[in-house]
Amino acid sequence: MPPYTTENIQNSEVKIHQPENGYHFSMDPFLLTEHVINLMNGKERVLEIGTGSGVMAIILASQCQLSDTTITAVEIQSSLYEVAKKNITSNGMQSKIKLIHDDIIKMKSREKGGEFDMVISNPPYQKKNSSRINHDTEKAIAKHEITLDMEQLICCAAYFLKQNGSLHLIYPAGRTRELLYNMKHHKIEISYIRFVHSDTKSHAKLVIVSGIKNSCTKLSILPPIFLK
């Protein structure tokens, strides 16, 4: 077992273990989780595609301790699956989070669709050939679209969502147009867009987008987030 670092999350009792030399989560799952929690009613079946170390699922589960929300977290990489399992167990979230080691594309081919109220993902951001790929396979798959690209992700999300279920994603702001196109192509109507800026003088760094499957909905542009 590789050496781990451990850190408390958001001034809470939640502790997340990460390999010292492996992939580390950034602020992005916290931004998306905060956005998602504000839209929940406490009775959702949630699917997370690409849970990594499990940080987003665990934060969500910790906020939903007294609700009927359940989370299915899928991770393709065996190393990160083991980290997520360790984190879920150490935080006592086994009853709230079902962890699956699998490829979401293969799951789509054999599992029944239309089962989830909500799909969330903090996916690989960079196109496969857009920049130099990290020599560390774990980091490369987490950051580049090697095993799952944007169109495949949204296609899988649309398949697993119930009618009127919601999809919530965070991406680089520079891919906003591509993101909106793919969501509409798979009949997910955009409901919320929120840009994230490093500071008040910077262009948007990230975008959070929500959409509803097979539903006419009014688009709301939420106030931007400034990180400092």
Side-chain angles (χ1 to χ4, degrees):
M1 186 73 70
Y4 285 90
T5 61
T6 305
E7 57 184 284
N8 285 79
I9 299 299
Q10 296 178 323
N11 298 318
S12 69
E13 296 182 357
V14 173
K15 293 183 178 180
I16 300 295
H17 307 282
Q18 300 187 95
E20 282 187 359
N21 300 315
Y23 172 74
H24 285 200
F25 60 81
S26 63
M27 65 180 176
D28 305 353
F30 301 98
L31 294 170
L32 184 58
T33 305
E34 184 176 357
H35 170 78
V36 167
I37 287 172
N38 291 329
L39 301 175
M40 296 177 70
N41 61 30
K43 298 180 180 180
E44 289 88 353
R45 289 191 65 193
V46 180
L47 172 65
E48 183 188 5
I49 300 176
T51 195
S53 59
V55 60
M56 192 153 61
I58 291 168
I59 294 171
L60 204 58
S62 70
Q63 296 289 324
C64 301
Q65 286 276 30
L66 301 179
S67 74
D68 295 324
T69 295
T70 58
I71 303 162
T72 298
V74 179
E75 177 52 48
I76 190 172
Q77 296 200 68
S78 57
S79 57
L80 289 177
Y81 167 81
E82 292 298 331
V83 177
K85 182 165 68 172
K86 177 181 178 70
N87 284 326
I88 290 167
T89 301
S90 64
N91 285 285
M93 297 295 181
Q94 301 95 314
S95 65
K96 301 291 291 186
I97 303 172
K98 178 183 179 182
L99 180 63
I100 298 175
H101 178 210
D102 209 340
D103 181 336
I104 194 68
I105 297 175
K106 292 179 180 179
M107 286 179 63
K108 177 178 176 291
S109 69
R110 66 173 186 268
E111 302 285 344
K112 182 180 178 181
E115 295 289 296
F116 291 91
D117 303 292
M118 180 178 286
V119 174
I120 61 175
S121 184
N122 173 29
Y125 281 172
Q126 300 181 41
K127 293 184 178 183
K128 186 175 181 179
N129 299 316
S130 64
S131 62
R132 186 172 66 87
I133 295 178
N134 197 299
H135 69 276
D136 184 301
T137 302
E138 183 180 289
K139 293 180 180 179
I141 292 175
K143 294 181 178 180
H144 287 80
E145 295 178 335
I146 294 172
T147 62
L148 184 72
D149 64 26
M150 181 190 289
E151 196 278 332
Q152 291 169 324
L153 167 65
I154 294 171
C155 179
C156 290
Y159 176 79
F160 283 108
L161 279 173
K162 295 179 179 178
Q163 298 299 314
N164 298 313
S166 60
L167 171 63
H168 308 272
L169 302 171
I170 184 167
Y171 265 95
R175 300 189 71 182
T176 301
R177 183 173 299 193
E178 180 187 1
L179 177 57
L180 299 185
Y181 169 82
N182 277 290
M183 289 176 71
K184 291 183 75 69
H185 178 71
H186 288 283
K187 297 180 170 53
I188 297 177
E189 194 68 26
I190 313 303
S191 54
Y192 293 103
I193 298 176
R194 188 167 202 174
F195 290 100
V196 181
H197 301 252
S198 296
D199 53 52
T200 57
K201 297 180 181 179
S202 301
H203 292 295
K205 177 182 179 182
L206 300 167
V207 64
I208 297 171
V209 177
S210 297
I212 309 295
K213 178 179 175 179
N214 292 336
S215 175
C216 293
T217 185
K218 182 180 178 181
L219 171 62
S220 296
I221 307 294
L222 299 176
I225 296 172
F226 298 103
L227 299 178
K228 61 180 180 180

